[in-house]
Amino acid sequence: MIDRALRIMTLAVAALALATWLAPSPGPTSSSTSTSTPSPTAVVNANLPATNAEEPTRRPLPPLESFHISVPRLDIDLPLAYGDVTRDVPRPGFAGNTPERVALVFPGSAPLASGGNTYVYAHARAGMFLSLWNVRVGDDVIVYVPGQSDVLLRYSVVTVLPRVDPTDTSWLDPRGPERVTLQTSTGPNPSDPRFIAVAVPIDRPTPTAIP
């Protein structure tokens, strides 16, 4: 885990990058499900399921790159990989080189199933996170390993925020209750809002966290 000072610096620098990805059509319409903009911790605290004090014995999860993330109702199904600030964040003379056809876990995020916030981002393009604009509260988010039906993490969307200011880095915070935060862009400009959906566990996973 990076130290707190480095993490805060990294989150601030990367905030601009996560708002610059191109979307192939105008931003989300006013019909998108939304809530007011409470703090991330307040949102998930109100919706976390009760937990059993005696959790089952957990076995190690496979490597992150073995997983896919899916929102079945929206036909989203992408492999997961670790993000790279140097590669993904634009800077003078470099426009950024965020990979296609993959969803990326932001550096410094909490590992899957470990408690805290796993922040996942992808381009707002067809076949990627473009259809996330149509997400609804209650939609399932599934994290799974293809061909291994026993390795499955299930989440439910509890809040949808279609227009988050790109300077608001609070949604990147890895601390707090267990959750997955999904993010994509709403337009091609650094000043365009980000689209964010937060999902919390439906049931307690039996595997351990990814190291």
Side-chain angles (χ1 to χ4, degrees), residues 27-101:
T29 65
S30 59
S31 62
S32 298
T33 304
S34 64
T35 67
S36 58
T37 309
S39 72
T41 301
V43 170
V44 295
N45 273 337
N47 293 281
L48 277 173
T51 59
N52 192 326
E54 295 185 4
E55 294 187 13
T57 301
R58 298 183 176 188
R59 60 185 175 82
L61 285 177
L64 178 75
E65 292 86 350
S66 301
F67 281 89
H68 280 218
I69 188 165
S70 172
V71 185
R73 190 183 69 81
L74 302 178
D75 293 323
I76 290 173
D77 193 324
L78 292 169
L80 281 172
Y82 288 107
D84 184 317
V85 172
T86 301
R87 178 195 63 202
D88 299 345
V89 176
R91 55 186 179 272
F94 178 65
N97 191 26
T98 306
E100 300 278 345
R101 305 294 176 181

Side-chain angles (χ1 to χ4, degrees), residues 16 159 191:
L16 291 177
T159 195
S191 59

Side-chain angles (χ1 to χ4, degrees), residues 107-127:
S109 286
L112 285 169
S114 69
N117 181 27
T118 306
Y119 192 95
V120 181
Y121 59 98
H123 288 290
R125 296 176 184 164

Side-chain angles (χ1 to χ4, degrees), residues 8-21 37 89 106 119 161-172 183-196:
I8 292 172
M9 179 182 69
T10 300
L11 299 185
V13 170
L16 291 177
L18 300 181
T20 60
W21 299 324
T37 309
V89 176
F106 187 77
Y119 192 95
L161 299 165
R163 301 185 68 81
V164 175
D165 192 298
T167 64
D168 181 0
T169 62
S170 63
W171 301 92
L172 291 160
Q183 183 256 306
T184 194
S185 60
T186 63
N189 302 308
S191 59
D192 291 329
R194 292 175 290 165
F195 190 105
I196 285 177

